[in-house]
Amino acid sequence: MTTTVWTTMTEIILQYLGLWPTTFFTIVALMVVAYNVVCGMFFSADDFVPIKRQPLHLGNMTEELRAYNGSDSEKPLLMAIKGKIYYVSTSKMFYGPGDSYAMFAGRDASRALAQLSFKPEDFNGSLEGLNDAQLEILQDWEYKFIDKYAQVRQLVPKKTST
């Protein structure tokens, strides 16, 4: 039975490709080796290790978020979108002090992200007056943060004394 299968497979490869099976499988093996060598030039096995997220569930917070802007190296970098606070310390190269997006750390940046703005007055959690397109942009940002960062807290309104 196995010789019949081998003979049939040999005939099929020879008929459709014009190659002997040994030639065909040699070419396939060389292609696999070449692929691995070329990929090894650009990527290492360490590039595919998943990022370990620190479990940091600290509960709800009000305005203490500002203390997590990177000014204290002992504290993690946190950032909020739509009241959800994310652990962004894994991207210190973006949100750390002096870096490109450092102004987002320690704040609810919902409005600024929705408007694609770097204006200081836009760094608040207010969604009032945003149009549908801006809310859609904000939703895209929220999905990116959900995929990339761990949500660690929830921003709650500050209680006012009566």
Side-chain angles (χ1 to χ4, degrees):
M1 173 82 178
T2 57
T3 55
T4 308
V5 172
W6 179 251
T7 307
T8 305
M9 194 166 84
T10 302
E11 290 171 357
I12 291 172
I13 292 172
L14 188 58
Q15 181 180 2
Y16 287 105
L17 300 176
L19 298 172
W20 288 100
T22 51
T23 307
F24 171 73
F25 289 114
T26 301
I27 291 171
V28 169
L30 288 173
M31 289 174 61
V32 168
V33 168
Y35 173 80
N36 287 328
V37 168
V38 171
C39 285
M41 293 168 60
F42 299 103
F43 302 106
S44 71
D46 296 336
D47 293 337
F48 299 104
V49 175
I51 296 172
K52 293 180 182 175
R53 295 184 178 170
Q54 289 183 332
L56 182 70
H57 297 286
L58 303 172
N60 296 335
M61 67 181 346
T62 55
E63 56 195 34
E64 307 98 42
L65 178 61
R66 196 74 183 109
Y68 294 90
N69 64 355
S71 57
D72 182 353
S73 62
E74 298 296 315
K75 292 182 179 178
L77 286 171
L78 301 178
M79 179 180 156
I81 297 177
K82 292 168 62 174
K84 296 175 186 159
I85 302 173
Y86 296 93
Y87 177 83
V88 296
S89 292
T90 55
S91 294
K92 278 187 180 176
M93 65 285 226
F94 299 118
Y95 302 106
D99 289 316
S100 320
Y101 302 107
M103 72 284 297
F104 289 95
R107 302 177 185 214
D108 186 332
S110 299
R111 185 171 201 81
L113 289 171
Q115 295 179 325
L116 303 174
S117 170
F118 288 93
K119 295 177 188 172
E121 62 268 16
D122 290 330
F123 285 94
N124 60 63
S126 174
L127 303 180
E128 284 186 43
L130 295 178
N131 62 36
D132 289 341
Q134 291 169 329
L135 291 172
E136 190 173 324
I137 290 169
L138 181 58
Q139 188 64 52
D140 288 343
W141 276 110
E142 185 178 20
Y143 288 148
K144 288 174 185 166
F145 273 71
I146 289 169
D147 286 342
K148 190 170 185 177
Y149 305 111
Q151 181 186 344
V152 294
R153 291 184 176 185
Q154 185 72 32
L155 197 59
V156 295
K158 184 179 178 183
K159 292 181 181 177
T160 56
S161 57
T162 56

